[in-house]
Amino acid sequence: MRLISSKYPKIFFTLFCVTYSLLASGQISSKYLKADSLFFETIRKNDSLARNSLKNLDSISNSKDEVFLSKTCQLYYFQNTRNFPKASTIQHTLDSLVQFTSTPLSKFRYFKGKGKTALFSNPAKAPDLYDEALKYAPNVSDSSLVFYYMGMAFELQNINDSSRFYLNKSFSLDSTGEVSANALNGIAKTYFKEDNVGLAVSYLERAAKKFNTLGKLINELSVKTGLGAIYLELEEYEKAEAVFAYIVNSLPLHQRKVGLYSSAKLGLISSWAFQNECDSVLFHSKEMTFMLSEQEPNNYKKLIGLFCDMSKCLSYNKEDEQAIFAAQKAATIAHKYQDTSFYPKVYLAEGRALAKTSPSRAQKKALRALSWNKIVDSDRFEKAILRLLYQLAKTNGDFKGALEYFELLTQIQNENRKDSINVAVANIEATNRASLAEKDAKLTKEKLKSETLEKEKSKLYTLMLLFAFLGSTIFLSFIIFIVKRRRDKAEQVNKTLEDQLGALSTRLIEKQRAIRQLEEEIQEEKITGNFSKKFLEELKVEQDWSKFMSLFETRYKTLWNHLISIPDITKSDLRFCALSHLDLSSSEIGDLLNITYAGVKKARNRIRKKLKLDSNVRIGDYLKRVS
């Protein structure tokens, strides 16, 4: 039946309203309710079954409330299939007919449907409409769903505190259904927007677990995709690899197309690239390059990331020409679509690929990447860029620049250590909140179902839980405070010792060079006299060496005990090991120990024999592993 004729709109619409008002009384038959229930079972599973259910509802609608409910089902169907023009037309029809309906179910469906319409068009209006729907909610599950939509309306407006309030309320009313899993996912989004990564990860893990329990595979894998992306950003590459591998292996074959599969596969490739598992990266990149290139405009971001990962692994395998080609391919796509968010990544890839063949060009690319990263503001990229600049500066003999980049890198790493502590604390808090939410959900259900006597018991039980929660919170807070205080103190002591070691090593180098220069001047110009001898005496470095080794022993106690336990280890061997652990170059070690380059090589071979190391193992790397 057409509601509005193109020739006589007012006449036909008036006739429809009159006909509707003359229908039977507002009673809903059990036959209609059964068909209505069948429609809601099919709407998310099978589109053709849902359409057939709609036709059946229209055919059996007799009373005015049944006709109204049938219209609300049409509205939900078109909202679910994203056919917003038709949904808008039905919404206008319902607005004109709501005055004729009488049952709470009809009112509930009307306000819930109108709230969802507002959710898509004007989220600020949605909470008031959902608040009206709550007055007519027929059961706890429907109330939980309405609270979920209210939470999402506030999330769309970036009002995160209100969003979490209603999403937690939704979860507490129904902690077992699909709505509860969606609520956990929504809470994770709000925490991620506030950069509270620890709580975001915790809620995403719970949401994925809940979807898994409910058998909602695609929902679970979608949540895990976001979880894997966060693990990559946190540089927890093994966890990211496990998550993305789970997604790829869990997807059915007929769904392994561009979309969820490609996102997970690219995440898996990125996790391999960061762990230098280059053979796996290059093998799987061929499949993904072909898949994504077929629809480049829709997948250019994924292509950029893929070519950057390929370039990194090709550089690692010393295939420099191919690495440069892959990096330039990524840069071409990024510039083609003018996506500046990828500029740090593509310039870093180009710099890394050019590092061996053209260090000067590589440095320019790396500096450009660092400049663009100030806009993107990614700690992960900044550390990778600084590592590259540090290596290039050492290669070019710019030790001052290398030291500056090393200090910046150390500063970022120290900040990341503090962030990891905060994430751990946040996870503890999230676990505590989750436990409390589960208990609160059980208490809420008991409160709704129990008699007056049961309510009194639940109040007493709530009070006991509150005292237990307060006690556990105080205890956990005390433990966290002690652990954090000890960690901060240890980090501060270690940083002070490392700074003193760096300063002393620099001072020792300068003194040794000054001594050598003065000795040469004395020999060449035959300078004699008390003044020169006295000046040379002041430059003696043995006292500084004693202080340096004392600091090294304090900072790296485990390594020191290991070294002194080695038979025939000498004082000069210990000094050589300390300087190697600090990553000083051969020329710097030679200056400090007052020996030639050949002497440094002999000392290195002698110590390698005492440490029983193979010739391909760097002494500095071995000492760092021991420490």
Side-chain angles (χ1 to χ4, degrees):
M1 180 180 181
R2 293 186 60 181
L3 297 182
I4 303 176
S5 168
S6 58
K7 192 172 181 182
Y8 304 109
K10 291 184 179 178
I11 295 173
F12 275 86
F13 188 68
T14 305
L15 284 172
F16 177 82
C17 291
V18 170
T19 304
Y20 182 84
S21 63
L22 292 174
L23 286 171
S25 63
Q27 304 221 344
I28 304 173
S29 65
S30 59
K31 182 181 179 181
Y32 179 88
L33 288 174
K34 187 176 181 180
D36 182 87
S37 177
L38 180 64
F39 165 73
F40 281 101
E41 286 178 14
T42 59
I43 191 169
R44 292 185 180 181
K45 295 179 181 179
N46 190 302
D47 189 59
S48 60
L49 287 176
R51 286 199 302 271
N52 291 334
S53 296
L54 276 178
K55 290 178 184 178
N56 185 38
L57 285 172
D58 280 338
S59 64
I60 65 172
S61 298
N62 294 318
S63 70
K64 58 184 181 181
D65 284 305
E66 288 176 353
V67 173
F68 188 87
L69 286 173
S70 178
K71 290 293 175 189
T72 61
C73 289
Q74 292 178 33
L75 175 65
Y76 293 163
Y77 173 77
F78 290 124
Q79 286 176 340
N80 226 46
T81 55
R82 296 292 194 270
N83 191 338
F84 297 117
K86 285 192 176 182
S88 179
T89 301
I90 294 174
Q91 184 64 65
H92 289 309
T93 304
L94 289 170
D95 289 342
S96 62
L97 300 178
V98 68
Q99 58 184 315
F100 301 112
T101 190
S102 59
T103 62
L105 181 61
S106 301
K107 297 278 188 183
F108 171 74
R109 292 270 186 87
Y110 169 73
F111 284 113
K112 192 178 84 164
K114 191 163 186 176
K116 197 166 185 179
T117 301
L119 198 64
F120 293 122
S121 57
N122 189 355
K125 290 184 179 180
D128 290 336
L129 293 166
Y130 284 128
D131 207 29
E132 285 295 317
L134 278 173
K135 297 176 182 177
Y136 305 102
N139 53 51
V140 173
S141 296
D142 284 316
S143 297
S144 174
L145 183 61
V146 171
F147 279 128
Y148 167 73
Y149 284 132
M150 289 177 78
M152 295 313 296
F154 283 113
E155 189 265 329
L156 289 170
Q157 301 172 71
N158 293 320
I159 307 174
N160 296 320
D161 288 337
S162 297
S163 176
R164 282 195 290 271
F165 172 78
Y166 287 108
L167 290 171
N168 276 312
K169 208 162 187 178
S170 170
F171 182 82
S172 66
L173 284 176
D174 183 11
S175 61
T176 57
E178 185 178 349
V179 176
S180 65
N182 286 321
L184 292 171
N185 192 24
I187 293 170
K189 285 182 182 178
T190 63
Y191 280 123
F192 191 74
K193 284 183 177 181
E194 295 175 348
D195 292 329
N196 195 334
V197 181
L199 287 174
V201 167
S202 177
Y203 278 99
L204 281 174
E205 288 174 343
R206 291 177 62 199
K209 187 177 180 181
K210 185 72 71 176
F211 278 126
N212 179 273
T213 304
L214 295 168
K216 302 288 183 180
L217 178 65
I218 300 302
N219 301 70
E220 178 199 356
L221 299 183
S222 298
V223 171
K224 280 188 174 289
T225 303
L227 189 61
I230 293 177
Y231 283 143
L232 279 179
E233 194 63 32
L234 292 174
E235 300 180 35
E236 296 182 13
Y237 302 124
E238 290 183 0
K239 285 186 178 180
E241 179 185 353
V243 169
F244 288 126
Y246 175 83
I247 297 169
V248 170
N249 295 328
S250 299
L251 274 170
L253 289 174
H254 68 277
Q255 292 181 322
R256 295 190 176 187
K257 299 176 182 178
V258 174
L260 186 59
Y261 175 75
S262 64
S263 298
K265 196 68 179 282
L266 288 171
L268 189 58
I269 289 171
S270 291
S271 65
W272 285 333
F274 283 113
Q275 297 176 82
N276 291 326
E277 296 179 18
C278 296
D279 292 339
S280 298
V281 171
L282 297 174
F283 177 79
H284 290 275
S285 293
K286 294 177 183 178
E287 172 201 357
M288 295 309 299
T289 304
F290 177 76
M291 181 186 292
L292 297 173
S293 297
E294 289 181 328
Q295 298 178 341
E296 182 187 306
N298 297 326
N299 300 300
Y300 78 88
K301 294 183 179 181
K302 295 178 179 179
L303 273 171
I304 293 170
L306 180 61
F307 281 122
C308 287
D309 290 335
M310 288 173 65
S311 176
K312 180 182 178 183
C313 288
L314 288 165
S315 295
Y316 187 81
N317 286 351
K318 298 180 180 179
E319 299 177 41
D320 297 325
E321 290 185 8
Q322 293 185 46
I324 293 168
F325 176 78
Q328 289 174 344
K329 187 79 175 173
T332 301
I333 298 172
H335 289 300
K336 177 181 177 181
Y337 295 97
Q338 297 181 348
D339 195 334
T340 57
S341 64
F342 279 94
Y343 284 5
K345 190 167 189 172
V346 296
Y347 284 131
L348 172 61
E350 287 185 299
R352 190 182 281 131
L354 291 164
K356 293 175 184 175
T357 57
S358 180
S360 58
R361 286 180 62 198
Q363 188 176 29
K364 289 179 182 178
K365 295 289 185 182
L367 289 171
R368 198 174 292 178
L370 192 63
S371 176
W372 277 105
N373 193 63
K374 291 178 182 177
I375 301 171
V376 178
D377 193 25
S378 170
D379 283 349
R380 180 158 57 95
F381 284 132
E382 187 172 0
K383 284 192 288 184
I385 295 165
L386 287 172
R387 285 192 197 102
L388 178 59
L389 285 168
Y390 170 70
Q391 293 296 334
L392 290 170
K394 281 175 61 178
T395 302
N396 295 331
D398 181 11
F399 297 112
K400 185 178 179 181
L403 184 60
E404 290 176 358
Y405 293 130
F406 181 77
E407 287 175 351
L408 287 171
L409 188 60
T410 304
Q411 183 180 350
I412 294 171
Q413 287 172 339
N414 287 337
E415 289 174 358
N416 286 348
R417 286 194 196 102
K418 292 179 182 177
D419 290 340
S420 64
I421 293 171
N422 292 335
V423 168
V425 172
N427 284 331
I428 293 172
E429 291 176 350
T431 305
N432 205 20
R433 290 183 187 180
S435 175
L436 185 63
E438 294 284 353
K439 291 175 183 177
D440 190 48
K442 291 177 183 178
L443 287 172
T444 305
K445 285 184 178 180
E446 288 176 7
K447 194 174 181 180
L448 290 170
K449 294 177 182 178
S450 63
E451 298 279 335
T452 307
L453 184 61
E454 292 297 320
K455 286 183 180 180
E456 292 298 323
K457 287 182 179 180
S458 67
K459 286 181 182 179
L460 182 61
Y461 184 55
T462 304
L463 193 61
M464 291 171 63
L465 280 175
L466 181 61
F467 280 114
F469 170 70
L470 286 173
S472 63
T473 303
I474 293 169
F475 178 74
L476 280 173
S477 300
F478 178 75
I479 295 297
I480 292 167
F481 171 77
I482 294 298
V483 170
K484 192 172 182 302
R485 186 177 177 185
R486 287 181 179 176
R487 284 181 181 174
D488 290 344
K489 190 174 180 180
E491 285 179 2
Q492 187 176 0
V493 170
N494 287 342
K495 189 176 183 306
T496 303
L497 288 171
E498 287 169 358
D499 291 343
Q500 290 176 355
L501 279 170
L504 268 174
S505 63
T506 304
R507 182 176 164 190
L508 282 166
I509 291 171
E510 291 172 353
K511 281 194 173 187
Q512 286 283 19
R513 287 174 180 170
I515 288 171
R516 191 177 293 114
Q517 183 178 354
L518 279 170
E519 286 174 345
E520 289 173 358
E521 288 176 2
I522 290 170
Q523 290 175 1
E524 290 174 2
E525 300 176 10
K526 297 181 180 180
I527 300 173
T528 57
N530 294 331
F531 176 78
S532 297
K533 291 179 180 177
K534 183 179 180 181
F535 191 70
L536 278 172
E537 287 298 324
E538 288 178 357
L539 285 172
K540 292 299 181 184
V541 295
E542 190 61 36
Q543 186 177 358
D544 287 337
W545 265 117
S546 299
K547 187 174 181 182
F548 176 84
M549 296 306 291
S550 176
L551 285 172
F552 188 85
E553 178 185 357
T554 304
R555 173 63 183 88
Y556 302 106
K557 193 69 178 177
T558 304
L559 175 59
W560 181 263
N561 290 336
H562 174 71
L563 289 173
I564 62 176
S565 67
I566 296 170
D568 301 325
I569 194 83
T570 65
K571 188 176 181 180
S572 60
D573 291 341
L574 291 172
R575 290 180 180 181
F576 191 97
C577 289
L579 298 175
S580 297
H581 186 273
L582 295 178
D583 284 335
L584 295 186
S585 65
S586 296
S587 61
E588 289 173 330
I589 293 174
D591 286 341
L592 281 167
L593 298 178
N594 201 17
I595 56 178
T596 63
Y597 181 77
V600 172
K601 288 185 71 175
K602 287 180 181 178
R604 186 176 285 116
N605 291 331
R606 184 178 68 253
I607 291 169
R608 186 175 275 114
K609 287 180 182 178
K610 290 183 180 182
L611 296 176
K612 298 179 181 178
L613 299 179
D614 294 334
S615 58
N616 60 343
V617 179
R618 291 183 70 252
I619 293 174
D621 293 343
Y622 169 77
L623 295 174
K624 283 176 182 169
R625 286 199 300 272
V626 174
S627 63

